[in-house]
Amino acid sequence: MKSQPPPNDSMPSVLFDRHVVMAIGVLLAIVLVSAVSNSPVRSIFPYALSVGLVAWRHGMIVGFLFAGLATLAALIGGAFPSNAALSGHEVGEGLYTYLKLSTVSAGVALGKRSRKPPSA
């Protein structure tokens, strides 16, 4: 039997992975652009890109957590409410955004899983 190397318990490797760092950079850039331009980024695509990067590397559960972080970034960036008629419904919009980003996480993770050849 092969012996497994001992786990490194000093710090989780997820925090320093390049995919996570790039995804956090995308979210920070979105918040920065929203603050500087005084026009919030309301498109779901940059948020979905960051969630997809994390879900591709670390799986669905971490992708769900990052979807929550991306939703908070959208809230901080001022993406809610999306129009004046929805003022006061930020929680509903946030939950709907989290649902969309969680779907991205699940789709990316399941799509990656379906690409792996079956093990013998």
Side-chain angles (χ1 to χ4, degrees):
M1 260 193 214
K2 289 184 177 179
S3 65
Q4 296 286 336
N8 184 0
D9 293 333
S10 62
M11 199 62 160
S13 63
V14 174
L15 293 177
F16 298 109
D17 185 64
R18 65 182 171 147
H19 292 88
V20 174
V21 171
M22 287 188 321
I24 289 173
V26 168
L27 291 180
L28 287 175
I30 292 169
V31 171
L32 185 67
V33 165
S34 294
V36 169
S37 68
N38 215 10
S39 172
V41 177
R42 290 195 171 106
S43 173
I44 196 73
F45 295 114
Y47 302 103
L49 173 69
S50 64
V51 171
L53 279 172
V54 173
W56 181 261
R57 176 75 170 126
H58 296 288
M60 194 180 315
I61 301 299
V62 178
F64 287 160
L65 294 172
F66 211 81
L69 184 65
T71 303
L72 288 175
L75 179 66
I76 292 169
F80 309 134
S82 56
N83 62 37
L86 293 173
S87 182
H89 298 285
E90 287 83 3
V91 173
E93 283 193 85
L95 288 173
Y96 184 60
T97 300
Y98 178 74
L99 175 69
K100 291 189 284 187
L101 293 174
S102 295
T103 304
V104 169
S105 173
V108 167
L110 293 174
K112 182 180 179 186
R113 187 181 303 170
S114 71
R115 291 186 54 195
K116 289 184 180 179
S119 58

